Amino acid sequence: MKIRNVVIFVFLICLFACKKDRETVVDDNKKYVKLLWRNKPFDWTPTTLVVKSKMLYFGDLHRNFYAVNLENAKVKLKFKSDYNPFYKPLIDGQDLFLADYNAELSCFDSLGKLKWQVNGEMNLRKDLAENGNYIYGSVQGNGFSKLNKKDGKVVWYLPKDSNITETNEPEFFENRVYLGLSEHDAKLLAIDNKSGKNIWENKYKKYSNLNQIKTEKGLLVCLNKDFKQGEILMLDYETGNEIWSESFNCDVFYEPCVANKSIILSTYDSKVVSVNIENGKTNWVLDLKNDQVESKIISFKGNIYFGTMNRNLYSLNIKAGKINFVQQFYYGISTPIVEDNKIYFPTGGSEMWILK
């Protein structure tokens, strides 16, 4: 886990530490993207950016929380809180669910007024999620729990393990919750959403980290250990049985992009790999060589987009893996955002760009 924390820190440095000797950015005339706006006083933490209904939500290092218009940066909401600005907020309707520095879970209304607050745990920063009328996360010393959105009261919680190992953001399918636990080894739980009882459990002792992603074929599971060992599995939702598996040096931090009957993932050895969702066989491989993916891979209109360690924006054809373009940026590139049939590119310089 120390290695993981170091790499997250390095990623944030790549996004922030892009200021040269000059304070003014002169290269605003780019070939493939155009600048929508720049607002340096936002000083946002790129890992917190969330868009809902054309509003951009984020936190900064000064404990401000913002909601601004995605197109013009006009501020709709700004308030002080103890929000921890390294993790994404949860936005549901008019309510904002924020994990604080001290791990409390706070619910605010659209004016920034506190509605309720419950004690949380460190895992809350990674496992906070919502589904229907409920939110899920580690609170009240119970570990992973199901809570009512209206008042934060616990409906059920897991009786063991989840308060001593790292839990991740769950996936939901029909009446089940799928939760990964990672520490010394990896484990996947299928939980009855109504009762909180375990339906089945898979253990992966060769690996230390697990992520699960919902797909139309089944539950995709990514397993890793120390960036050196990696495997992806497709599991049956009902039984947890393996449909297919393939070995990869999977990147621990960025979940795969699932689109166009393909799974596109980044690996620790600077490759982008596409595999067939039906059988796990490789479609194509792109070697970035001296560069490395440093954002989630996002699908948009038959292409994929991602930012890299060297502050390049890549656009690839999703079917063939052919490069459409590579656009250099002054600041680090955060995960691209798709909203209202457009794709946006936020940077570590509190800028918002859009595809031309």
Side-chain angles (χ1 to χ4, degrees):
M1 296 311 298
K2 289 183 179 179
I3 296 176
R4 180 172 182 163
N5 291 336
V6 167
V7 175
I8 290 175
F9 177 76
V10 171
F11 166 60
L12 292 173
I13 292 297
C14 287
L15 287 171
F16 285 123
C18 306
K19 295 183 180 179
K20 299 179 182 179
D21 293 336
R22 295 169 293 130
E23 190 64 29
T24 303
V25 179
V26 296
D27 186 19
D28 288 348
N29 184 24
K30 298 187 183 297
K31 185 175 181 179
Y32 302 105
V33 297
K34 68 176 181 179
L35 181 66
L36 270 185
W37 48 265
R38 176 184 296 116
N39 194 323
K40 289 186 178 181
F42 281 162
D43 197 22
W44 65 35
T45 309
T47 50
T48 67
L49 300 174
V50 170
V51 169
K52 281 286 184 75
S53 302
K54 298 184 181 180
M55 296 300 298
L56 178 68
Y57 299 86
F58 59 90
D60 67 17
L61 292 175
H62 311 292
R63 301 193 178 184
N64 295 308
F65 186 81
Y66 288 87
V68 308
N69 186 285
L70 179 60
E71 293 287 337
N72 57 28
K74 183 177 179 180
V75 176
K76 178 183 178 181
L77 174 67
K78 177 184 177 183
F79 67 95
K80 287 278 187 182
S81 79
D82 284 330
Y83 171 57
N84 187 322
F86 290 101
Y87 300 91
K88 289 185 181 299
L90 183 61
I91 315 298
D92 182 72
Q94 297 297 310
D95 291 332
L96 315 173
F97 299 93
L98 310 182
D100 294 346
Y101 271 101
N102 295 323
E104 287 91 356
L105 175 62
S106 300
C107 177
F108 296 90
D109 64 17
S110 59
L111 300 177
K113 182 180 178 181
L114 182 66
K115 296 178 67 174
W116 54 259
Q117 186 178 71
V118 296
N119 293 329
E121 300 176 9
M122 295 297 289
N123 283 350
L124 180 63
R125 299 173 180 178
K126 298 179 183 293
D127 61 21
L128 183 61
E130 63 91 17
N131 181 255
N133 294 320
Y134 302 95
I135 53 177
Y136 300 76
S138 294
V139 297
Q140 306 285 48
N142 299 324
F144 186 78
S145 306
K146 177 179 180 179
L147 299 87
N148 193 299
K149 284 181 180 177
K150 292 183 178 180
D151 52 21
K153 291 184 178 179
V154 174
V155 179
W156 54 253
Y157 62 91
L158 298 189
K160 59 179 180 178
D161 290 342
S162 68
N163 59 350
I164 57 175
T165 58
E166 180 181 309
T167 49
N168 63 15
E169 184 177 347
E171 287 284 8
F172 304 90
F173 182 76
E174 294 183 347
N175 64 336
R176 293 179 175 86
V177 182
Y178 297 90
L179 180 69
L181 293 87
S182 304
E183 192 69 26
H184 302 295
D185 52 25
K187 187 188 324 185
L188 177 67
L189 305 179
I191 305 162
D192 183 274
N193 201 348
K194 185 175 181 179
S195 66
K197 303 297 183 183
N198 279 9
I199 300 171
W200 53 258
E201 176 182 302
N202 287 356
K203 293 182 178 180
Y204 305 96
K205 293 186 177 181
K206 287 174 54 179
Y207 300 99
S208 58
N209 183 269
L210 180 153
N211 286 294
Q212 71 284 345
I213 300 95
K214 182 170 63 177
T215 79
E216 61 183 23
K217 177 67 177 178
L219 188 68
L220 177 65
V221 176
C222 302
L223 297 163
N224 300 276
K225 184 173 183 179
D226 300 331
F227 310 110
K228 298 176 182 178
Q229 302 178 48
E231 187 175 359
I232 59 174
L233 316 170
M234 187 66 73
L235 304 182
D236 180 86
Y237 284 115
E238 294 287 333
T239 64
N241 292 338
E242 182 181 307
I243 299 172
W244 56 256
S245 65
E246 287 292 328
S247 295
F248 286 97
N249 181 18
C250 294
D251 187 292
V252 167
F253 302 106
Y254 306 110
E255 67 184 50
C257 171
V258 180
N260 198 39
K261 304 293 183 181
S262 300
I263 300 164
I264 303 97
L265 52 92
S266 57
T267 65
Y268 188 61
D269 56 356
S270 301
K271 291 182 176 64
V272 180
V273 183
S274 171
V275 301
N276 187 296
I277 197 171
E278 295 291 333
N279 53 31
K281 301 303 181 184
T282 300
N283 296 321
W284 52 260
V285 178
L286 174 66
D287 191 346
L288 299 180
K289 298 180 180 178
N290 296 322
D291 209 351
Q292 192 174 52
V293 176
E294 285 285 353
S295 79
K296 288 185 179 180
I297 298 172
I298 301 298
S299 170
F300 181 69
K301 294 186 176 181
N303 298 308
I304 56 172
Y305 299 83
F306 54 87
T308 70
M309 179 177 61
N310 293 337
R311 305 195 291 278
N312 292 313
L313 170 67
Y314 276 78
S315 170
L316 275 62
N317 178 276
I318 198 169
K319 289 185 177 180
K322 181 180 178 181
I323 296 174
N324 299 318
F325 67 79
V326 180
Q327 179 72 73
Q328 176 73 39
F329 275 75
Y330 185 88
Y331 294 96
I333 306 162
S334 188
T335 295
I337 296 167
V338 174
E339 178 75 3
D340 195 29
N341 208 33
K342 300 175 184 177
I343 187 164
Y344 301 84
F345 308 104
T347 78
S350 298
E351 302 171 333
M352 189 63 66
W353 299 75
I354 192 170
L355 190 67
K356 283 186 177 178

